[in-house]
Amino acid sequence: MTAKATVTVDCSRASAHTVNPYLFGHFVEDIRDHMEAMLAFPLKDMDFESESLTKAEISGSWTAYTSGRNTQYALEAPAPRHSGRAQRIRVMSDDEADAGLAQKAALKGPMDYAVKVVARASVELRFLYVEAADRRTEEVLGRTRIELAGHNWRQYEARLSVSRACADAEIRIYVPADHPRWPDHVSTGMLWLDHVSLLPEDSAGFVKREVIEMTRPLNAGMMRISGNYISAYHWEHGVGPVLERPVMYNEAWGGWTSKYFGTDEFIAFCRELGVEPLVSVNDGSGTPEEAALWIEYCNGGADTPMGAKRAANGHPEPYNVRYWEIGNEVWGQWQVGTCTAERFAERCVAFAKAMKAADPSIVLLACGHYDQEWNKAVLDIAGEHFDYLTLHLYHGLGRFGMDRNTPPEERYKAMAAFSEWTREDIRRTTENIRRNAKTSHVKLAVTEYNTMYYPNTIRRGLPNEHTLGAAVANAANLNEMLRGSDSVHIGSFSDLVNGWLGGCIRVGDYYADQFRGKLPGWSGRPLTVYGTPTYEVLKLYAGRGIKRMLPVDTVCGTFSVRSLKPAPIALDALPDLDVAAGTNEDGSVVTLFIVNRSLQERRVRLNLQHFEAAGETILHEITGEAYDDINSVFEPERIVCASRTVPAAAWRDGCALRPFSVYALEIRGGAGGSA
C-alpha cells in the first residue's frame, strides 16, 4: 500500500528576503577534459607542446602522415613570440610521397571549419593540403589547399568544408605526392608547422555551440571560474593574442592549462549566456598586487595601464566584474600555497586591501571550510574585509563509513541524506558568522557542490555522479540552500562540462574519472552532447522564477541510514519527502519542490493556506525505473523532465509520487488567489 503524506504551505508568510538568482550558478575549471570538452576545437596539441609519444620526434597527439620511407621529423623552437614548439618535417624528393602530420578527430557535418595554420617552408614548397577523411573507409570528407607564400613564418587562413559528420575522422596536413619535385640537396623539402587549428563555423567564440545551447536553459545567474589550478595560474599569461600566450603547465591536474580560455574568453562566455562572472584569484603562488592588476584589467578605464592593455586586446569598455574570490580550498594539502587558517586569514586581509584599492565596488568572497575551526580563525582575523564565506560541499559516502561493499540500497539512502549534512554545515557556519557583530554582514556562498560516491581515483562501473540517485541528492541540496537563502546567496554546481565529478553537461563518451576514463571515442558516438539527470534538476529549479520562500510543514514517513561512523546529525528518522516552497515576485504562482527520497511511492495530499488555486496545476517530474539509471551516449534522454497537468482537486485526495524522483509543482492563483 502506498504511504500517505500531507504537505501544508502557509502562502500568507512569504519571506522578507528574495532568493538570489546566483544560487543557481555553475562552475568551470581547467580540469582534465573540461576545457577540451567545452571548447569547439576538434584538434588537440594545436601548438605542438606535448612530448613525443612515438619513436619519431612528433608532438604527442599527432602522428606521421607519410607514404615515404625517408620523411624526417623533429621538434624545434616555435615562431617568434609564440608558445609551444614547431614541428619540422623534411620531405625527401626521391620518395615522391605524401608527407605531413595527422590526428584523429570527431567532426560535425556538413560543416565549414575555419582553418588556421602558422607555417614556414623552404622556397620550393609551394602549397600544402589540409584534409579531412574517414579513418575507416578513407573517404575524403573535405580538402582545402593552402598556398605557401614564403620562407619566413606566416599565418595562413582557409576554409575546410566537411561533407558529413564523422565520429572517427582524421585531419591531415601534408605536402602531397603530386607536388612538383625539387633537386635533392641540402635545405630543400623543409616544412615547419607552429600551429594548426580547426574551428567550426557555428562555435560561439571558442566554445561549442551545443554547450552554449545546453547551458542557456540552466539560467545559471552566475558562472564561476576557479578550481585547484587557479592557485598556480597567472592571469597575464591568459590574455592577448592566443598564439602568443605562454604554455602553462597545469600543476594541479597535469597536462597544459588551456591558453584558449583566458579572461577575455571567459567574459565573452558569460556575456553570451547573460550571467554574472565570478573570478577566483591566485593566492597560492600569486600576490595581492597581481590580483589588483587583474581587477584593473577587467574593470579599469582605458586610461589605466591594465585597462589600456585590455583595450589593446580588442575590449575598450570595462568588463565591470563585481564578484572576486580569494582562495580555493586553501586548507587542502593538494592546493598550491596550502597553509593554516591563521596564515590564510592574514593573506586574505592583504589581498582584500589591494583588490579593494583597485576597485572599491567589488564584492569579495573568502575561502571557508566545513571545519568550523578554520572558519572561526578566518572570520576573527579577516571577516571585516570580505562579504562572503565560501563552502565546498562534497559529502560522499566516506562520512557514513561506507564503501563499495556496502549494500546498494544502503548507499542510496546515505546519498539521499547528503542534504542533512548540507543543513548542518550551513547551520554551523552561519552560527560562527553571527557570533560576532563585526562579521554579521557576511553571507554564504556554496561555490562547489555535488555528490561523491567513492574516492574519485578508485571508482569502477557506472559513473555514479550521473545517476538518478545523484539527481535526488542534488535536488535535496538545492532545497536546503533555498531554505537557507536568507544567508546562502551563491551556489555553483561542480562542474559545468565533463571534468572531475562529471559535469551536468556531458560531451562525448569520456565518463567521470573511471580510472581516468576509457579512451574518448570508444562508443563511436563522441559527438553526442547530453545532460545528466542532475542537469534536468538544475534546469528545473532555475527555471521556476522563485523569488520568495514560503513556510512548509510536511508530515510523512521516514527512513534511516545505518552509518558506520558517528555523525553530528540524527539519521534514524529522516523524512521521506524533502519539500521546499516559494512564490514568484507578485505571489501569483506557488511552486513546491518535492523530492521523494524514499524507495517507495508516496501519495501526497496538499493543503494550501491563504491561496485560491486555479483549476489545473502543472507537475514537472524527473523519474526513472531505478536509482542507478543514467543518461549516456547510447540513451541520452533516458532520464528527462516531463510535465503534465493535474487537477487542483486531485491534490486534496492525494497524488502518487514515484520513488527516488524529483518534482516541481506549479500552482497558479485563481480568481482572487494570492500568496
Side-chain angles (χ1 to χ4, degrees), residues 10 36 107 134 220 256 291 318 329 334 451 456 468 479 484 497 530 533 540 546 624 644 648 660 674:
D10 186 345
E36 178 187 315
L107 297 176
D134 187 315
W256 304 107
E329 298 179 3
W334 52 87
T451 58
N456 76 307
L468 177 58
N479 278 0
V497 184
Y530 62 95
L540 175 65
I546 295 295
R644 67 180 188 271
F660 39 81
S674 126

Side-chain angles (χ1 to χ4, degrees), residues 358-386:
D359 183 350
S361 70
I362 62 173
V363 177
L364 288 179
L365 291 73
C367 174
H369 195 5
Y370 52 79
D371 179 347
Q372 297 307 315
E373 293 307 309
W374 173 281
N375 290 341
K376 287 177 183 176
V378 171
L379 287 164
D380 287 347
I381 297 169
E384 295 176 89
H385 296 273
F386 57 81

Side-chain angles (χ1 to χ4, degrees), residues 421-433:
W421 289 93
T422 296
R423 180 186 303 125
E424 180 67 6
D425 288 335
I426 290 173
R427 182 191 67 78
R428 295 172 66 206
T429 307
T430 302
E431 282 184 358
N432 264 321
I433 288 170

